Every structure is written in structure tokens, then in C-alpha cells.
Amino acid sequence: MTFGRVTILAAAIAVTLPGAAMAQSPHNWSGYYVGAVAGYGWSQSTSGPTRMYENFDGTDEDVINSPIPPFSFSGSGLIGGAEAGYNWQTGGLVMGVVGDIAAANIRGTYMDDSALFSVDSTINWLSTARFNIGVPMGNVLFYGTGGLAVGGVTNGLHDYYGDDVVNTSDKTTNVGWTAGGGVAAAITNNWIIKAEFLYVDLGTKNVSFSEPDAPDPGFGLITSSAKTTASILRVGIDYKF
């Protein structure tokens, strides 16, 4: 009876092992792929000194008040878009290039202590072009990534004049860099799922606002600078050709 059970078990193992080996065979990461990504981002915005001028020229003699000192504030929001790339697998490394573009609504708001004005900053879209390098472990790939980042940022100023609010904004296209890492898993020969983290530095841009229709004493020109960074966690699904 025991011998029969061992024989049956051995036969089952002999039948199962080839299938198991095939299921565990390493994935070939080489090839083109396209996919979709979505996630959540946390931003950090830092202003430079803010100067206010009576006219539109911005000449030094027209400064009304001392510069408002720099201040920082954080934001958060959703991001999602599409990506495409290519991987080369050689030996124990996988190298690749990838580009993506995503719509975003990563927004933060700062309220002045005196409640005379508020500022908001929104990352409206983000695109990256990156180089990846990773180590495959079976059907799983651990990788680092880094490269160029370009994003659209809207900075808004809201000045409070009693019951009146004057809303102005300045839209900029920022160029910076990004770096991060992630893990990808091949669930079939063609479909890959991933999770990744990106730190994005969109640099510093000069911004300006004008209040020609503001109640007295409205400012003809308000100037500052805005530095924008973000930390992004996202998941994706790719189809490899």
C-alpha cells in the first residue's frame, strides 16, 4: 500500500515538474511596450521673496512694501497617463528607455498669516524621459530610473480687499529632473504590472501677477519665484510586443 502511494506521488511529481519549470522560466524583458500609469503625488512649493510695485514697470523706486519673505507649502493630488518604452536584456541586467505623459491635479494652498492673500500651486501635467537599469529575478524586475522631467505648473494669487477678492495666475512650463525606482512583474509573456516611486524636481521659475482692476491700493505688478518638487507613487500596466 505504501509502495503504491509512493509510486503515484513520484508519477505526479514527474508530470508536474516540467509544467512548474515552464511556469517559473525567466521572463524575457527585451522588447517594446506601451501602457498606462496612475497614482498619487505630494508636492512641495517654495516661493522666493515677493515684491509689490505700484506700476507695471517693476522699477525699484515703485516698491510699495518690503519684500514678503519666502514661504513654503505642500500639496497633493492624483496623476495618470500613458507610457511607452523599450528594454534590452543582456546577461544579468535589463536596460531601457521610457517616456510618459500624464495629466495631474497635484495642488497645494498657502494662506498668509494676516489673511490678506493666499497662494496656490498646481501641477497640471507631467512628462518624463528616463533611462532604466534593473536586475531581473525570474519574472520580477527591480529597477532604478532617472532622467528629464517637464511639467506644467499654475501658480495662483488671491488678494483680499475687504469683501473683494482679486484672482490672478501665472502658468509656466518647468524643466527639471526625476529619479526613482520600482518593481515590475510579468504576469504573462505580454502583460506586465509595476509599482514605482518618482521624485521630481521641476526647478525654479520666475512668476508675476498684475492687478489692474483691483480696488485701491491694487498693485500694478507683483513678482516672485516658485520652486516646485513632487514625490509620486504610481502603479502601471504594460503590454510588451
Side-chain angles (χ1 to χ4, degrees), residues 12-217:
I13 293 174
V15 170
T16 303
L17 276 178
M22 184 176 295
Q24 296 298 319
S25 61
H27 178 73
N28 180 5
W29 293 93
S30 294
Y32 293 96
Y33 62 90
V34 296
V37 291
Y40 204 81
W42 294 265
S43 65
Q44 185 72 22
S45 302
T46 302
S47 83
T50 301
R51 299 177 181 274
M52 294 158 288
Y53 302 87
E54 186 175 7
N55 63 18
F56 299 98
D57 298 335
T59 51
D60 290 341
E61 59 266 30
D62 293 321
V63 176
I64 293 181
N65 294 317
S66 299
I68 297 174
F71 55 86
S72 297
F73 58 98
S74 58
S76 62
L78 296 172
I79 184 170
E83 69 175 6
Y86 184 84
N87 285 327
W88 300 268
Q89 184 167 355
T90 172
L93 290 177
V94 175
M95 295 175 288
V97 291
V98 59
D100 60 68
I101 186 167
N105 186 28
I106 303 175
R107 184 176 188 272
T109 301
Y110 170 84
M111 174 63 76
D112 173 56
D113 291 338
S114 62
L116 294 178
F117 72 91
S118 65
V119 173
D120 57 59
S121 179
T122 305
I123 300 176
N124 301 301
W125 61 270
L126 179 68
S127 180
T128 73
R130 293 173 281 123
F131 175 76
N132 297 341
I133 184 167
V135 177
M137 295 184 179
N139 292 343
V140 178
L141 177 68
F142 297 91
Y143 63 92
T145 185
L148 177 72
V150 182
V153 180
T154 299
N155 293 286
L157 171 66
H158 314 282
D159 251 343
Y160 301 96
Y161 295 91
D163 294 330
D164 296 320
V165 181
V166 178
N167 301 305
T168 58
S169 64
D170 189 348
K171 294 184 177 181
T172 60
T173 298
N174 296 28
V175 179
W177 58 271
T178 181
V183 57
I187 53 179
T188 71
N189 287 333
N190 300 106
W191 289 101
I192 299 168
I193 57 175
K194 66 172 61 173
E196 65 184 9
F197 166 81
L198 294 177
Y199 176 80
V200 178
D201 187 329
L202 291 175
T204 302
K205 276 280 194 177
N206 292 327
V207 295
S208 61
F209 311 94
S210 180
E211 301 178 338
D213 300 322
D216 187 62

